Amino acid sequence: MWRKAVLVALLALGMGYLYHTDPELPARVLNYVSESLPQMEPSDSSEPRPPTLEEAIARAWQTLITAPARRWARVAVGVNACVDVVVSGVGLLQALALEPGSGRDHVVLHGKEDLKEAFIHYMGKGAAAERFFSDKEVFQRIARAAAEYPGAQLYVGGNAALIGQKLASNPELVVLLCGPVGPKLHEMLDEQIIVPPESLQEMDEFHLILEYKSGEQWGSSRAPQASRFILSHDVSNGEMSTLETFVASLDEFQPDLVVLSGLHMMEGMGRDLWEERLKEAVVAISDVRNEVPIHLELASMTDRDYMNLILQEQVLPIVNSIGLNEQELLFLTQSGGGPHADLTSWDGIPDVGRVSDILLWVLEQQGRVDPESEADLTRIHFHTLAYHILATVDGHWGNQEAAVAAGARVASSQACGLQAVDVTKVVLKAPLSFYSSFSEPRKSLTVDPTRPVTVWRRGNVSFHLTPVLVCKQPLRTVGLGDAISAEGLLFSEVTPQPEL
């Protein structure tokens, strides 16, 4: 302390002298000293500062995230792909001469008013959503306005293309992407990605991504967290028109892993198309060789009849793994009459016990929890803003502790637009204590920041939970779920099953 006192006294004497030569100089010196003093603090302290929770978790991830013993060499991804036009949602709606008002959900958007109401509805919840815009001409006018809006950016879009792009960042991996790939999208794809000639088309499919920031306000609506609203008039992806081409290309490509997405795009195309196309999709997916695992990436849906048809047509049981967020998980249990189906929406951070109950139910109803079951589903990668959970049937998947941590790490870094986690730009929002179930029997569990993957079992299902270090000022939210699933798959491995 005496060193600081002497320093201050000397500065005061010096400043008194300097004041007579240059009256403005002391103010400049004081500014400099005040900026410098915090940097001098640590030298006075004899004990190192303990790490913050965020620092402890980020460090622990480095140790936890280890490569699997058996890595994928060739991954085939399909079948939805497009160009994303990312723009300020409030800014675009104002440019379209729309006034703020009340929010209301719409399964299909038929005009600009429907778009405004649905955007406000989901912005007020801070929840991601995706909708089909039925009027082609009106959509094209909105798309032109979006592309011309100041600051609008074009990116690779569509779950399959985004997952493929993320996987292709691994130089040891060969990726096949099948989907409606137009000239602009083809130009933006990683050069490591192989696109079958049959997937190329003359025109790109465009999706409009209306983003909003945490705390952003429009009229009386205020976003509790950053997210986005997606709209498109996309017939190629909506009909999953490249599915058969995708499956046919697998024989020649010989992948170790198949990643499938795009089922949600059919929702806006009408019941007649659903019923026929889903049956054809099941036949096509069933043609994939049994020894090749299939991961299905789900996305935003709102029509319970359509989701029930997916369940009735037995889509989930013929894939090995699924990825989904909290909105999709809740919709799944509401449609199928599962646990907590009476819950209309999540109140803040989804309760871990409730999430655990629903994940177990999905694996019991659609998966291979019963060893005698003929279903293939043995893995669910659940992600929400504050934490991730990997739920797996024992004996089918390995390296899941690393996989869930890798997914959370990429969520933290990518949301901030960085290659690595910057602990000054993230915050821990996950609960550090929770229950394994919402109802009895339930176990009290905690998160240890120095070993930030909490593991518990319910029957022969293992749950791996890790917190997410949430980016304080996210630069881009689109594609985070796809990056999370891709990274989780990169660090996962299938456990060979004994032949019967």
Side-chain angles (χ1 to χ4, degrees):
M1 290 297 292
W2 64 269
R3 290 176 184 169
K4 286 186 185 176
V6 171
L7 177 62
V8 170
L10 288 171
L11 284 170
L13 286 169
M15 284 183 151
Y17 171 76
L18 290 170
Y19 181 79
H20 293 288
T21 58
D22 182 356
E24 293 186 5
L25 184 59
R28 294 200 298 270
V29 173
L30 272 174
N31 284 339
Y32 174 77
V33 171
S34 65
E35 290 172 2
S36 302
L37 278 175
Q39 299 172 14
M40 297 164 61
E41 287 289 338
S43 63
D44 257 6
S45 176
S46 57
E47 294 184 10
R49 176 183 61 80
T52 64
L53 292 176
E54 288 83 2
E55 288 172 335
I57 290 169
R59 289 176 191 172
W61 278 344
Q62 300 302 322
T63 306
L64 278 173
I65 301 172
T66 56
R70 290 179 300 277
R71 302 189 185 194
W72 317 110
R74 302 170 73 81
V75 181
V77 188
V79 292
N80 61 328
C82 64
V83 174
D84 279 346
V85 182
V86 182
V87 66
S88 161
V90 172
L92 177 62
L93 294 181
Q94 288 175 331
L96 295 171
L98 292 167
E99 297 290 333
S102 57
R104 180 186 169 198
D105 196 10
H106 294 273
V107 175
V108 176
L109 308 178
H110 298 291
K112 291 194 293 184
E113 283 295 318
D114 287 0
L115 166 60
K116 179 190 78 172
E117 291 176 352
F119 176 82
I120 291 171
H121 174 79
Y122 283 100
M123 178 181 171
K125 292 175 176 289
E130 185 168 351
R131 295 292 179 269
F132 180 79
F133 200 100
S134 63
D135 191 316
K136 181 179 179 180
E137 290 184 6
V138 175
F139 177 78
Q140 287 176 339
R141 288 200 292 272
I142 295 172
R144 278 195 296 272
E148 293 168 2
Y149 189 83
Q153 294 175 300
L154 270 60
Y155 294 99
V156 170
N159 306 87
L162 285 164
I163 291 172
Q165 193 83 331
K166 185 64 181 176
L167 293 172
S169 65
N170 183 332
E172 299 174 5
L173 202 58
V174 180
V175 178
L176 174 84
L177 172 65
C178 192
V181 177
K184 185 63 181 176
L185 177 58
H186 202 195
E187 174 189 314
M188 292 192 293
L189 288 173
D190 190 290
E191 60 183 18
Q192 263 184 245
I193 294 178
I194 299 168
V195 180
E198 298 83 0
S199 287
L200 298 173
Q201 57 182 44
E202 293 181 3
M203 298 285 290
D204 283 285
E205 299 288 354
F206 287 93
H207 288 205
L208 308 186
I209 317 296
L210 278 56
E211 292 198 322
Y212 48 85
K213 298 175 182 177
S214 177
E216 186 169 0
Q217 191 143 356
W218 193 38
S220 60
S221 298
R222 186 175 183 275
Q225 63 191 35
S227 195
R228 76 280 179 189
F229 185 88
I230 305 174
L231 67 147
S232 67
H233 178 87
D234 184 344
V235 176
S236 296
N237 284 306
E239 294 178 349
M240 293 186 77
S241 60
T242 57
L243 179 61
E244 284 77 10
T245 301
F246 177 53
V247 174
S249 67
L250 300 182
D251 283 339
E252 182 180 348
F253 184 69
Q254 292 290 299
D256 307 312
L257 171 69
V258 169
V259 181
L260 178 66
S261 65
L263 284 178
H264 64 286
M265 294 296 300
M266 287 198 282
E267 185 179 51
M269 305 304 290
R271 180 178 295 273
D272 291 342
L273 184 137
W274 296 348
E275 294 180 348
E276 190 62 32
R277 201 74 185 101
L278 268 180
K279 290 175 183 175
E280 293 168 352
V282 169
V283 171
I285 297 168
S286 300
D287 285 343
V288 178
R289 288 181 295 125
N290 288 337
E291 62 270 24
V292 179
I294 303 171
H295 172 85
L296 173 65
E297 191 67 15
L298 293 177
S300 175
M301 288 182 272
T302 59
D303 194 302
R304 292 191 185 184
D305 289 341
Y306 180 53
M307 177 54 80
N308 276 323
L309 197 58
I310 289 175
L311 297 175
Q312 291 163 12
E313 290 294 340
Q314 299 289 288
V315 176
L316 299 191
I318 62 172
V319 300
N320 304 83
S321 167
I322 60 174
L324 76 178
N325 67 19
E326 76 279 9
Q327 304 298 330
E328 294 140 20
L329 184 72
L330 184 58
F331 185 63
L332 197 58
T333 196
Q334 289 170 340
S335 301
H340 315 298
D342 58 339
L343 200 65
T344 56
S345 64
W346 298 108
D347 183 14
I349 296 171
D351 176 74
V352 175
R354 282 191 170 102
V355 169
S356 174
D357 292 342
I358 302 172
L359 292 174
L360 181 64
W361 169 78
V362 174
L363 287 171
E364 286 176 340
Q365 296 296 311
Q366 305 289 327
R368 201 168 186 170
V369 170
D370 181 352
E372 300 300 315
S373 169
E374 294 184 359
D376 293 316
L377 181 63
T378 51
R379 178 183 184 272
I380 304 176
H381 193 165
F382 168 82
H383 50 88
T384 187
L385 180 72
Y387 64 87
H388 296 172
I389 296 177
L390 262 173
T392 53
V393 178
D394 293 343
H396 291 270
W397 295 87
N399 209 42
Q400 295 305 279
E401 192 171 6
V404 73
R409 182 176 65 178
V410 81
S412 300
S413 59
Q414 185 165 309
C416 287
L418 302 170
Q419 294 299 312
V421 178
D422 182 342
V423 293
T424 67
K425 296 183 177 180
V426 295
V427 62
L428 179 67
K429 292 190 175 183
L432 294 180
S433 61
F434 53 89
Y435 290 102
S436 61
S437 170
F438 188 72
S439 55
E440 299 296 340
R442 62 181 187 167
K443 184 179 179 181
S444 179
L445 298 162
T446 59
V447 172
D448 176 1
T450 64
R451 185 79 183 179
V453 176
T454 304
V455 184
W456 69 97
R457 298 180 74 238
R458 297 178 67 177
N460 63 339
V461 175
S462 293
F463 296 82
H464 294 76
L465 176 146
T466 194
V468 174
L469 300 178
V470 180
C471 186
K472 295 175 187 176
Q473 295 183 324
L475 297 180
R476 186 165 180 249
T477 60
V478 175
L480 268 187
D482 303 308
I484 291 162
S485 287
E487 197 77 355
L489 287 168
L490 271 176
F491 284 87
S492 295
E493 63 177 308
V494 170
T495 304
Q497 298 299 303
E499 293 186 15
L500 299 176

